[in-house]
Amino acid sequence: MLGYLLKRLIQMTLVLWVVSVIVFLMMSFTGDPVFMVVPIDASDAEIAQARRLLGLDDSLPVQYWKFLTSLLQGDFGRSYVFRQPAMTLILERMPATVELVLVAMALAIAVAIPLGVYAGANPQSRISRVIMAGSLLGISLPGFWIGMVLIYLFAVHWGIFPSSGRGDTVEIFGIRLSILTWDGWTHIVLPAVTLSLATMAIILRITRAGMMEVGRQDFMKFARAKGATRGDVLYKHGLKNALIPVVTIFGLQLGDLIAFATITETIFSWPGMGKLLIDSIYRADRPVIVVYLMLVALIFVVINFLVDVIYMLIDPRIRLK
Amino acid sequence: MKHTPKAALRTGVLSATVLALTAGLAVAQEKSVTIGLTADPSHLYPLAGEELSSNIMYYHLYDPLVKRSPDLTFGPGLAESWENVDETTWRFKLREGVTFHNGNAFTADDVVFTVEKARESIRPDLVANIASITAVDDLTVEITTPAPYAVLPNDLAELLILDEDYTTETGDEQMDLQPMGTGPYMLEEWIKEERLVLTAFDDYWAGEPTIDQVTFRPITNPATRTAALLTGEVDVIQDLSVRDVERVKSEEGFKVLTRPSLLNVVLAMDTRAESPTIEGENPMTDQRVREAIARAIDVDAINQIVMNGLATPSDQFVPSSHIGYVDGMNFREMYPLDIEKAQELMAEAGYADGFTMTLDATNDRYVNDAQIAQALASMLAKINIDLQLNIMPKSNFWGYIRVPTEQSSFIMSGWDVPAGDAGSMYGALFYTRDKKEGYGQVNRGSYSNPEVDALVDQADATPSIEERDRILQEATRLLLADIPMIPVHYEQDIYAAREGVSLTPRVDKFIWAYDMDVE
């Protein structure tokens, strides 16, 4: 286990380093950030001064070296646009995103697993076909379209939910949460539903496939023969054995949604960090992009590690090496 | 409106009314307004950078010495009055009894500090025309300019005064989060990307604001912004999407407000003998070719088809409110759409068969910019100009087209002069390049006309506004005849509000709650 952890740690460091190099190289093609900051009629002297203030007067390798050395001292650099520490900018927006994603994922599981088990156990039934058709819609309809339709119907037309924003929040240990207030819940419903649909559809389809596969195994018949109820057979024997791919996909989707919930956040003006990434790309704000993508890489590494641990819990035959 | 979501009920209006009633007092109702902006401000510290959302916040939190009215007239702000001591020396008498939000008195030292601070910041352009500044006494400052400069007060309308003690103590980075000015509103709360709440500064020198609380919400997606207005979550929205205009107009209880903006979309033509994207010699050195291009462009069609009628074709390089505008002169009447005439001009110049060149344009900076570029390509095809399009996001654009403009022949960009004066624009865009420091730095077409240079020099050497106006008008006449650049149109600013909100859109787009009222 210790060896495994160490190996993972080395892998992670390598991944983070590669991400930082790629982003630095990429950013040399996306235009000069200094022109995003100075007025368009700035004189050469004014531009030189801005360049100096932003630390852009060094060559790219020197900038990268400075970035690496201050990184090792815990300084992640400053946004060119906001002139604030890049890490602070990301972290202050992160709780909103994580909260939204967790609600969306919980919703996705709560709906997808039972429906998937049902459709897998009764592949021929009419309801199963309706579920599968619905899941196809969930995969193929784009999020921004669903978001706009939900806003139009539930906010503008029926007035049940507000159209945008995060609503009232409660602060706990310095982290602001909206799921602890009623107003917060009314705000989170529409974006969470929008965000969850695609994941819901994928998990549903994988659960169904797994259940169909497992259903053909002998131990399922034996379980039924030894007198387990149908529900027990499906959920305890069947689902548990079908769960490994579901957990894998769940982990990947979780990371993906936390990192790139951008579109849903933009549509619902959800004050999360995905919008920061897009804005930063438009503004060529390299420090924020680098730190953001490194953080995303870290999130993926951690989630995959947790997924591996969960494998062990689900199937004791699996060992981490 | 049938449905009122809880969000609207939450706002201060109701709770304040309830409070007032329970207290049994006949106090005036607390007024509040919620404004949906297109983006969250990047800064609250005026010397950290500028973009529209930040500018809107700055003018709520801080004051300049000279105040710019919604229609670009300039009057006393923190300075009560000013006079020219000699051609290059100005004396500003400051307002007495003004305090910052923290109670510190506003004095001449704060003004001197602000100017010096700006010089070291990322915005030295704010004080480019100030050679020196001294505090004569507590409430008088003396400013000298490098040369006679008639429009110094207009420039000062953009310099927002900082509290010396507080700013020094707080530091640049924290100033962005804890602003402190003399403006009509104070920062109450700023939750990034969610809302920024301002409360009235009761001791404001020009009188207590009518609206007690202003909430700004950044709603980037245009359709969501419209929805938030229609559901009552916000009272006013900035930048109503063109396709939602009819929808909002038809809805009971809402209104749409429009105003031509200052942003003139212009086409710069290269006038060098050889141009980067044109093979052989550059036809656009010939005024007739430039005129032909101007006549081939159907600005009305662009307005109707691309802009949904929500643009104002430009008559000159600056709007009529500006110094240097010539009454009665109209580029559109001088060079109306006339393909035959344009073809004749091309033939006279020896280019009946046309030529090929590339237009550089943005796709995320101006309203429908990429579509305008496409329309231009098909219009110029009629006079045999094969226009290739090179369209890119603005993060690449400004560096790409930057003087010395080694990659461009034909550029679409926008220009606005909120200082209300054509001089700075002519100096930057049309003055011969590399001739004088601070002039011609954005002259992307490499235009050079000694007469224009001389007029700009004269304008920048007179301390009299009338004289400056006369000289710049002459420059305008010259430029409209010579066509170094084709003015296309002014974009329209579109706002929407619920009935009961009184809002007069400002020419400079800076929504200002101090001038607003709500019922």
Side-chain angles (χ1 to χ4, degrees), chain B residues 480-496:
Chain B
L480 287 177
D482 211 19
I483 328 180
M485 208 178 241
I486 299 170
V488 180
H489 60 224
Y490 294 99
E491 291 175 357
Q492 195 113 267
D493 294 334
I494 314 172
Y495 304 81

Side-chain angles (χ1 to χ4, degrees), chain B residues 175-456:
Chain B
M175 278 302 285
D176 248 352
L177 305 172
Q178 303 161 32
M180 179 66 59
T182 58
Y185 288 90
M186 305 180 283
L187 180 68
E188 163 101 17
E189 176 186 45
W190 184 20
I191 302 169
K192 301 273 179 70
E193 294 291 339
E194 194 179 341
R195 62 174 179 268
L196 189 151
V197 184
L198 303 175
T199 46
F201 177 43
D202 294 340
D203 296 330
Y204 187 55
W205 56 267
E208 195 182 324
T210 322
I211 297 176
D212 302 278
Q213 190 173 65
V214 190
T215 305
F216 291 97
R217 282 192 45 198
I219 307 177
T220 311
N221 187 30
T224 313
R225 215 157 46 238
T226 309
L229 176 76
L230 295 178
T231 57
E233 288 163 71
V234 300
D235 303 305
V236 180
I237 58 172
Q238 180 196 32
D239 221 350
L240 175 68
S241 153
V242 166
R243 62 169 182 266
D244 287 338
V245 168
E246 288 311 313
R247 164 100 169 84
V248 174
K249 270 186 184 161
S250 67
E251 198 86 11
E252 185 126 353
F254 295 95
K255 58 187 175 185
V256 174
L257 306 154
T258 57
R259 159 148 222 171
S261 75
L262 292 179
L263 189 81
N264 201 351
V265 173
V266 291
L267 300 166
M269 293 174 282
D270 194 2
T271 57
R272 286 172 287 195
E274 282 186 12
S275 188
T277 74
I278 301 172
E279 240 178 83
E281 60 186 45
N282 177 6
M284 288 185 295
T285 49
D286 193 323
Q287 191 270 351
R288 287 170 298 189
V289 174
R290 300 201 294 268
E291 183 179 334
I293 295 175
R295 285 180 182 276
I297 295 172
D298 187 349
V299 173
D300 288 323
I302 292 177
N303 185 18
Q304 290 313 319
I305 296 160
V306 183
M307 305 293 287
N308 286 31
L310 290 164
T312 313
S314 343
D315 47 1
Q316 293 176 23
F317 297 108
V318 291
S320 57
S321 53
H322 283 45
I323 295 169
Y325 180 90
V326 184
D327 280 330
M329 242 187 148
N330 188 344
F331 190 86
R332 305 270 85 94
E333 283 163 15
M334 293 167 76
Y335 312 107
L337 174 73
D338 188 341
I339 300 293
E340 265 172 45
K341 176 87 201 261
Q343 282 165 340
E344 275 169 34
L345 284 165
M346 288 289 278
E348 272 176 41
Y351 294 98
D353 297 334
F355 57 96
T356 302
M357 68 171 167
T358 303
L359 171 69
D360 299 319
T362 48
N363 54 13
D364 60 352
R365 175 60 188 87
Y366 309 106
V367 179
N368 297 335
D369 38 12
Q371 290 93 315
I372 297 173
Q374 282 155 8
L376 289 174
S378 66
M379 288 168 183
L380 293 189
K382 290 181 187 155
I383 54 169
N384 294 327
I385 294 178
D386 180 6
L387 194 63
Q388 309 286 319
L389 299 182
N390 179 25
I391 293 174
M392 61 190 110
K394 64 182 178 205
S395 56
N396 291 50
F397 187 72
W398 300 118
Y400 187 89
I401 63 166
R402 192 169 165 71
V403 166
T405 326
E406 272 154 357
Q407 303 170 83
S408 309
S409 304
F410 195 40
I411 302 170
M412 182 169 88
S413 65
W415 200 267
D416 61 349
V417 197
D421 167 65
S424 68
M425 178 185 191
Y426 292 176
L429 291 180
F430 302 128
Y431 201 91
T432 305
R433 237 148 69 170
D434 299 327
K435 194 166 143 190
K436 200 163 131 188
E437 175 65 28
Y439 288 84
Q441 71 273 32
V442 202
N443 185 348
R444 301 184 186 113
S446 309
Y447 180 70
S448 176
N449 182 340
E451 284 176 78
V452 172
D453 291 356
L455 286 170
V456 172

